[in-house]
Amino acid sequence: MVLSPADKTNVKAVWDKIGTNGAAYGTEALDRMFLSFPTTKTYFPHFDLSHGSAQVQGHGKKVADALANAAAHVDDLPGALSTLSDLHAHKLRVDPVNFKLLSHCLLVTLAAHHPAEFTPAVHASLDKFLASVSTVLTSKYR
Amino acid sequence: MVHFTAEDKAAITSMWRKVNVEEAGGETLGRLLVVYPWTQRFFDSFGNLSSASAIMGNPKVKAHGKKVLTSLGNALRDMDDLKGAFSQLSELHCERLHVDPENFRLLGNMLVIIMAKHFGKEFTPEMQASWQKMVAGVASALAHKYH
């Protein structure tokens, strides 16, 4: 799967539009994921996962910042995500299936907050971008 | 098997009443074909699917999307027996249409995204969780008779 120039343009435009809402959207996506896909909670036994939890907010910001960094370096995702890739492979070891679940909830969040921008073409670009990020994050698993 | 609480059922049916099935059907199926182009493999007879705008404007896509969502809407009356409700459609999708059940999961998630786009804040995380159960139940029911 290759991100076309149009995909990259779409991704950067979306992240410009997200602006300072990144942390809020990251948190919302996590809330959605924990509710819709309870098995994802198994990776956070040490967290308070109730709505409004400071730990979930902190983690939502982390995820959002990482995605914003990826969007800014969309021409070199392996480079931009190298440290996170190592972390996921050697320490976190989140089963690859879960990246699809979080990606889906990120798309739901973006669709809910930016319906006008969420055209079919932009939707496709975002789906590809999140899939590419997921691939990089699981690339060193074995 | 999926278990729907009374809250799930109330949330699902109340939101469904506000859905324009014709529009949502076309949008859902259209986006499936745009975002996951390999799903076009089942629709060789649909004519022009060469671009996002061609797909979204294609009358056969819209008509088929409406058919699919109408069927889903009908099943909401039978949420406690989705396998029964979709039994014949399951056989059809396996024996005649040869559709990989993974496609039902993709379409279900696409519907969830369309609902988020349409309902915005009203599509709360709790509402989404009920709908994810619904689409998972439908996908599972449609795959149930596969052999």
Side-chain angles (χ1 to χ4, degrees):
Chain A
M1 168 179 46
V2 173
L3 293 174
S4 69
D7 288 327
K8 294 177 186 180
T9 302
N10 285 340
V11 167
K12 287 188 211 215
V14 166
W15 253 267
D16 281 340
K17 191 81 196 178
I18 287 173
T20 49
N21 291 313
Y25 293 172
T27 304
E28 183 179 327
L30 288 173
D31 276 341
R32 288 181 179 278
M33 185 184 72
F34 293 138
L35 265 175
S36 282
F37 309 110
T39 53
T40 57
K41 295 189 293 185
T42 57
Y43 292 95
F44 299 92
H46 53 301
F47 265 31
D48 162 20
L49 294 178
S50 59
H51 182 68
S53 148
Q55 285 176 307
V56 176
Q57 285 177 346
H59 200 67
K61 179 173 185 339
K62 247 188 200 171
V63 170
D65 287 346
L67 286 171
N69 181 48
H73 297 95
V74 73
D75 286 314
D76 180 24
L77 289 177
L81 295 168
S82 180
T83 312
L84 274 177
S85 179
D86 288 332
L87 182 76
H88 282 77
H90 304 122
K91 195 158 164 278
L92 302 177
R93 292 170 292 183
V94 173
D95 191 285
V97 74
N98 295 286
F99 291 92
K100 284 193 185 180
L101 302 179
L102 180 58
S103 296
H104 171 67
C105 290
L106 283 160
L107 289 176
V108 169
T109 303
L110 289 173
H113 289 280
H114 297 282
E117 285 82 14
F118 202 74
T119 62
V122 167
H123 176 174
S125 297
L126 283 170
D127 192 291
K128 281 172 83 177
F129 169 67
L130 292 173
S132 301
V133 168
S134 302
T135 297
V136 171
L137 290 178
T138 54
S139 62
K140 300 179 195 175
Y141 271 34
R142 56 178 170 171
Chain B
M1 208 194 87
V2 188
H3 172 70
F4 297 101
T5 63
E7 289 78 19
D8 286 326
K9 292 181 189 178
I12 289 165
T13 46
S14 74
M15 188 156 261
W16 191 250
R17 259 179 238 125
K18 300 188 237 178
V19 169
N20 177 324
V21 171
E22 179 164 5
E23 255 178 45
E27 184 81 17
T28 302
L29 183 62
R31 282 185 187 243
L32 182 78
L33 300 176
V34 169
V35 178
Y36 308 116
W38 55 91
T39 58
Q40 293 170 27
R41 69 190 299 284
F42 301 107
F43 302 105
D44 280 339
S45 63
F46 273 27
N48 187 4
L49 299 178
S50 60
S51 69
S53 51
I55 291 170
M56 300 311 291
N58 183 309
K60 287 190 175 181
V61 171
K62 290 185 189 188
H64 195 67
K66 179 182 175 188
K67 201 183 196 183
V68 170
L69 274 206
T70 301
S71 167
L72 191 140
N74 289 340
L76 295 186
R77 290 185 233 122
D78 282 306
M79 276 193 265
D80 289 321
D81 183 25
L82 290 175
K83 289 184 163 67
F86 283 106
S87 177
Q88 287 181 301
L89 277 173
S90 180
E91 285 171 3
L92 178 81
H93 281 77
C94 171
E95 290 158 18
R96 267 229 287 137
L97 305 177
H98 311 294
V99 177
D100 179 348
E102 178 60 23
N103 291 285
F104 308 142
R105 291 178 256 288
L106 290 178
L107 186 70
N109 279 336
M110 205 50 79
L111 175 62
V112 167
I113 288 175
I114 291 306
M115 304 210 26
K117 180 176 185 287
H118 188 74
F119 290 106
K121 284 201 178 72
E122 204 184 330
F123 198 65
T124 60
E126 290 76 12
M127 186 62 85
Q128 179 186 349
S130 296
W131 273 96
Q132 295 289 169
K133 272 187 177 181
M134 180 65 197
V135 299
V138 171
S140 170
L142 276 170
H144 187 66
K145 286 296 189 68
Y146 272 58
H147 58 89

